[in-house]
Amino acid sequence: MMRRILLLSFVHYFWFLGTSTGQHKITVTIDGYKNDTCILGYQIGRTTYIAQQVNERNKDGDFVFEGEEALLGGLYSVLIKPKNQFFQFILSNDEEQKDFKIKTKIIDNPARDLTKHLKIKNSPDNAVFEEYKAFLMAMRTRSEQLEAELSAAKQKKDKDQIAAINKKIQNLDGEVTAYQDNLLKKYPKLLSPKLITGSRQPEIPKELVEQVDIFRYYKAHFWDNYDWADERLIRTPILKEKIETYIEKMTMQHVDSVSKACEYIIDQALAAKNKEVFQFVAVYLLNKYAKQEVICMDGVYVAIAQKYYCTGMAYWLDSTQLEGICTDAAKMAPLRCGRSAPEVRLKNINDSSYVSLYSIKKPFVAVYFWDPTCGNCAKMSEKLVPIYEKYKDRGFEILGVCSKSWKNVELCRTKVEKQKMNWINLSDEPYPLAWVKKYYDLRSNPFIYLLDENKNILFKRISAQQLDQILEREFERYEKQHKK
C-alpha cells in the first residue's frame, strides 16, 4: 500500500482552548443524576471530542468546568455516565463564558431526556436559538393546519381555495427565510444565526426546469449563506458536513474534478482571510486523501500538497513535517493516473535479453511488482495467471518485475515455473533494478500498475479481481473504437 504522509499534529486542529486571557466557568446542575462524572465535549462534524472532564461535584452538588483560558466558540455537549447521554448548547464568545449556567434534570424522566427540562442562563446565543426553535414549531403547526385545509379543499374540488391554500403554504418558506435573515442582521456576532443560515439550501429559481440546470445552480450557490470568516463553525457539524456533501455528492469522482473541488474549498477559506479556517480545511482535506483507498485518488493529495503546502502556506508545520509531505508528493506526482509510466528496461529472467516497457505494443500492459518470498505475492500471482490467459490473445501483457536482483534470480525463475507465470518476467543487477523500484515509488509487494497502449497509467494499486473487471470493460471499449 502506498504510504502518504499524515499530519500527526492533526489533533492540534481539534483544539478547544482559545488564546485569549479570558476565563471560562460553566456550572452544570443535573437534578437526579447520581454519578460523579460529567464530561464537556465539543463538535467537529458529527464527532464529539472531550474538552474537559470532572469527577466530583462542588459543595452545591454541581459540576463546574473552569479554566484560565476561554474556550473557543462552537457547539458543545454535556455527557453523563454510564451511556454518554447528552445535551448540546452553543458556546459563543469569551464574555458569556465567565458565568455560564446550565440546569436540567432526570427526575420523573424515565427516558433520561436531558433536553426536556434544559435551561441555560447568561447566554444570548442560546436564547436566540431557542426562540428560533419555537418559531419553527409554530410554523410547523401552521403548515399542518394548511395541509389539512388543502386536503379538505381537494375533496370539495374547490380550485380557487386549493390555489389560495397552496400560495399560503409556499409563503411559509419565505417567512422562514426572512426570519433567518433578520436573525443574522440583528445578531451579526452570534453563532446561532450563522449556524441557521449556513445550513440553508439554495433556493432554485422557478424558471430552471432542466435537472442539469438545477444541479449547476445548486452547486454554484451551495456555499452562498456560509460565513467562511467565522472559525467557530469549525466546531459544529456544519463545515465538515458541507465539505463532504460538496465533494462526495456534488462532484464527479474523478481525480481532477475532486482536486478542483478541494481547491475551491481551500481558496474560499483563504479569501476569507481566516487563518484558523484555512488551516482546518487544508489539514482536513490533505488527511482525507492521504488515507484515501479509492483508486487514483492519491492524486488529490498531491494537488493539495503541492499547491498549499509546498509553496510555503502551511505556516503551522515545522520544516521536518513539511519536508516529509513535499517529498512524498514529489514521488507520487509522476505516478498519478493519466501520466506516462516511467520506462522499465531490465533483463528477461529466461534469456538475459533486455526488455523495454515501451517496446511492448499492446492495448494494455500491467506492470506487476512481486517477490518470490512474499506470501501475498504468491496469492496474487495465482489469481493473475487465469486473468492473463483470459486476455492475452486480445492484446494484454503483464510485465513482471521480480524484486530479487540478478544474483538471486534463480528464486524468481523457480517461482515463475512453479506458478506458471507465463508472462514477461524481468530482473537485473541491483543498481538498475533499484532505480526502477524508485521510479515507481515501490514501497511494498505485490503492486500492479495498469497502462494503456500509450503507456499512460490507467489504474494502480488494484487487486486481481479489479484488474479482471477493468480489463473486461476497457477491452470492450477499445475494441468498439477500433472497429470503426
Side-chain angles (χ1 to χ4, degrees):
M1 184 180 295
M2 194 171 289
R3 175 184 59 86
R4 267 84 71 191
I5 298 294
L6 283 170
L7 293 184
L8 298 180
S9 58
F10 190 44
V11 291
H12 295 165
Y13 310 119
F14 293 154
W15 70 100
F16 61 93
L17 284 177
T19 56
S20 70
T21 56
Q23 298 176 333
H24 71 275
K25 182 179 181 181
I26 301 172
T27 304
V28 180
T29 305
I30 308 176
D31 292 341
Y33 178 51
K34 303 302 182 184
N35 199 295
D36 285 331
T37 297
C38 193
I39 298 169
L40 178 67
Y42 60 103
Q43 291 286 130
I44 295 183
R46 290 294 178 188
T47 305
T48 301
Y49 298 87
I50 295 177
Q52 285 181 269
Q53 176 172 318
V54 294
N55 298 310
E56 60 181 358
R57 303 166 189 261
N58 66 6
K59 60 181 179 62
D60 297 317
D62 302 326
F63 297 99
V64 180
F65 300 96
E66 57 186 338
E68 294 302 317
E69 295 183 39
L71 302 176
L72 292 176
L75 188 63
Y76 283 72
S77 304
V78 169
L79 301 91
I80 62 172
K81 297 295 183 179
K83 297 182 180 180
N84 285 339
Q85 288 155 306
F86 68 96
F87 61 83
Q88 294 180 311
F89 61 96
I90 294 169
L91 202 58
S92 184
N93 55 53
D94 295 3
E95 191 61 34
E96 71 176 31
Q97 295 180 32
K98 294 179 180 179
D99 188 24
F100 196 95
K101 296 184 183 298
I102 304 174
K103 186 172 183 177
T104 187
K105 62 181 178 178
I106 55 178
I107 299 172
D108 301 325
N109 184 5
R112 295 169 70 88
D113 179 6
L114 297 177
T115 63
K116 185 176 181 181
H117 301 288
L118 183 63
K119 294 181 180 179
I120 300 174
K121 293 183 178 181
N122 304 330
S123 174
D125 221 325
N126 284 280
V128 166
F129 195 64
E130 287 302 314
E131 289 175 9
Y132 175 68
K133 288 194 293 184
F135 165 75
L136 286 185
M137 288 297 295
M139 295 298 288
R140 180 179 297 178
T141 300
R142 286 176 59 190
S143 176
E144 291 171 352
Q145 290 172 346
L146 288 171
E147 290 291 346
E149 292 175 15
L150 180 63
S151 179
K154 286 180 177 179
Q155 288 181 354
K156 295 178 182 178
K157 298 181 180 180
D158 188 333
K159 293 182 179 179
D160 291 338
Q161 190 177 12
I162 290 172
I165 295 171
N166 276 326
K167 187 174 182 180
K168 288 181 180 180
I169 292 174
Q170 292 171 2
N171 288 340
L172 291 181
D173 287 339
E175 288 186 50
V176 172
T177 300
Y179 187 97
Q180 293 172 346
D181 289 340
N182 184 58
L183 281 184
L184 191 59
K185 184 178 180 180
K186 189 175 181 181
Y187 306 108
K189 294 184 179 181
L190 296 187
L191 177 57
S192 54
K194 296 183 180 183
L195 271 171
I196 293 165
T197 55
S199 301
R200 198 161 71 198
Q201 304 300 309
E203 185 176 346
I204 308 298
K206 294 179 181 179
E207 59 268 22
L208 297 182
V209 293
E210 297 293 334
Q211 286 299 316
V212 63
D213 294 329
I214 292 173
F215 175 78
R216 286 173 180 167
Y217 182 92
Y218 189 93
K219 185 174 183 180
H221 294 271
F222 183 71
W223 294 97
D224 278 3
N225 298 299
Y226 184 81
D227 186 356
W228 285 101
D230 195 331
E231 70 272 10
R232 293 174 298 180
L233 293 169
I234 294 171
R235 289 165 293 278
T236 72
I238 184 173
L239 177 54
K240 187 177 176 183
E241 289 188 1
K242 286 183 78 77
I243 289 174
E244 293 301 318
T245 299
Y246 187 80
I247 291 176
E248 297 184 1
K249 297 182 180 179
M250 302 174 63
T251 301
M252 183 182 296
Q253 293 305 291
H254 179 274
V255 61
D256 290 338
S257 298
V258 173
S259 295
K260 288 179 181 178
C262 290
E263 289 173 11
Y264 174 82
I265 289 169
I266 299 173
D267 287 345
Q268 293 301 304
L270 274 172
K273 298 181 180 179
N274 186 297
K275 294 175 66 176
E276 286 75 17
V277 178
F278 165 61
Q279 181 178 349
F280 176 81
V281 296
V283 172
Y284 175 71
L285 290 171
L286 186 77
N287 272 6
K288 177 180 174 66
Y289 289 97
K291 297 180 290 186
Q292 185 62 252
E293 295 302 323
V294 176
I295 296 169
C296 293
M297 282 298 173
D298 55 353
V300 182
Y301 174 92
V302 174
I304 294 171
Q306 292 187 332
K307 182 171 180 179
Y308 301 101
Y309 285 77
C310 306
T311 55
M313 300 172 73
Y315 61 88
W316 56 90
L317 295 181
D318 61 36
S319 58
T320 301
Q321 290 174 309
L322 194 58
E323 182 180 359
I325 290 171
C326 295
T327 299
D328 214 33
K331 289 179 180 178
M332 295 162 60
L335 297 168
R336 285 174 285 180
C337 293
R339 300 298 180 95
S340 298
E343 170 68 298
V344 175
R345 189 174 184 277
L346 299 171
K347 292 180 182 178
N348 189 312
I349 66 171
N350 293 325
D351 58 17
S352 302
S353 63
Y354 277 95
V355 177
S356 165
L357 166 64
Y358 278 78
S359 69
I360 301 173
K361 305 302 181 183
K362 297 288 181 72
F364 301 101
V365 178
V367 180
Y368 171 43
F369 291 93
W370 63 283
D371 189 299
T373 61
C374 160
N376 286 332
C377 299
K379 293 177 183 177
M380 176 70 83
S381 298
E382 183 180 357
K383 295 175 182 177
L384 285 178
V385 167
I387 295 173
Y388 178 67
E389 296 297 327
K390 179 179 177 180
Y391 294 104
K392 67 178 184 179
D393 293 336
R394 294 172 71 177
F396 174 57
E397 187 58 77
I398 296 178
L399 196 66
V401 179
C402 180
S403 289
K404 297 299 181 186
S405 64
W406 201 254
K407 67 177 181 178
N408 295 314
V409 74
E410 196 57 39
L411 291 172
C412 304
R413 294 184 181 129
T414 301
K415 200 71 173 181
V416 165
E417 183 177 355
K418 180 180 179 181
Q419 294 203 263
K420 298 185 167 93
M421 299 159 62
N422 296 323
W423 48 75
I424 301 171
N425 288 286
L426 309 177
S427 180
D428 211 323
E429 304 300 331
Y431 184 75
L433 182 60
W435 272 103
V436 169
K437 293 179 182 179
K438 181 178 179 180
Y439 288 148
Y440 276 85
D441 195 27
L442 185 67
R443 308 187 192 196
S444 63
N445 288 300
F447 202 102
I448 298 174
Y449 287 85
L450 180 63
L451 317 179
D452 65 14
E453 61 182 331
N454 298 314
K455 306 303 178 287
N456 295 321
I457 299 171
L458 288 176
F459 298 95
K460 59 184 179 179
R461 200 172 68 250
I462 52 178
S463 67
Q465 181 182 10
Q466 288 171 322
L467 177 64
D468 189 11
Q469 295 169 347
I470 291 168
L471 285 173
E472 187 64 48
R473 182 184 69 241
E474 294 297 326
F475 265 117
E476 183 178 348
R477 182 182 303 161
Y478 178 85
E479 289 163 355
K480 281 182 179 179
Q481 289 176 346
H482 287 75
K483 280 181 180 179
K484 296 180 180 179

